[in-house]
Amino acid sequence: MSAFPLPAPMRRALDLASAAAEAGEVPVGAVVTRNGEVVAEAANSMRGSLDPTAHAEMVAIRMAAERLGSPRLDGCQLWVSLEPCAMCAGAIALARIEHLYFAADDPKGGGVVHGARVFSQPTCHHRPLVSGGLGEAEAADQLRRFFAERRG
């Protein structure tokens, strides 16, 4: 456990991930902030919505764009409990998210520091600042427990 408390948006993302797990969804939560205020938040909802694109990041980005009245989320930060996949990383770039914070790495499905490494591609025209590992142990534990229960 860290000697410092997590920033409130990451704490909220982890709480949303926990709620997703309780609902039978893969435990991932996402929060969009701007100027220190929460603009949107969401948890994974693929199973409940029957939508394969309803990753927490995608839902939160859609909500933030609607709330702000723009597809460009200039000056916004995205806080996510798991490294975004390639689809979500593409949406983050297209939305012009300023800074991506994520908790746990995703060596199998990540698209930021693993896998496709979307922001490193020459076709990616916007690259947010990226900070990983914030709340990593808790997020990784949530995911381990969720999948252990499914396999059990």
Side-chain angles (χ1 to χ4, degrees):
M1 178 164 240
S2 172
F4 301 101
L6 287 173
M10 185 58 79
R11 174 75 266 146
R12 181 65 181 146
L14 290 165
D15 291 345
L16 288 163
S18 180
E22 290 175 21
E25 301 279 356
V26 174
V28 179
V31 176
V32 177
T33 59
R34 185 167 74 174
N35 299 325
E37 301 293 324
V38 173
V39 176
E41 60 180 41
N44 266 4
S45 58
M46 293 170 43
R47 289 175 175 254
S49 66
L50 303 177
D51 179 356
T53 70
H55 292 195
E57 303 94 306
M58 298 293 286
V59 176
I61 287 169
R62 287 181 193 128
M63 291 172 63
E66 185 173 328
R67 180 165 180 208
L68 297 174
S70 174
R72 299 241 170 128
L73 303 180
D74 296 316
C76 288
Q77 299 76 41
L78 178 62
W79 307 76
V80 188
S81 61
L82 182 65
E83 175 187 350
C85 71
M87 173 184 70
C88 293
I92 290 164
L94 290 171
R96 306 297 197 265
I97 295 288
E98 175 182 81
H99 199 141
L100 166 66
Y101 298 90
F102 68 87
D105 282 353
D106 187 356
K108 290 183 180 179
V112 176
V113 297
H114 296 91
R117 295 186 172 125
V118 171
F119 305 139
S120 300
Q121 301 306 315
T123 54
C124 183
H125 300 296
H126 173 78
R127 292 167 180 82
L129 296 172
V130 176
S131 301
L134 201 60
E136 180 175 17
E138 182 176 344
D141 185 56
Q142 286 179 338
L143 289 155
R144 258 191 305 280
R145 281 186 283 122
F146 177 83
F147 288 110
E149 290 171 9
R150 299 301 173 281
R151 289 185 202 106

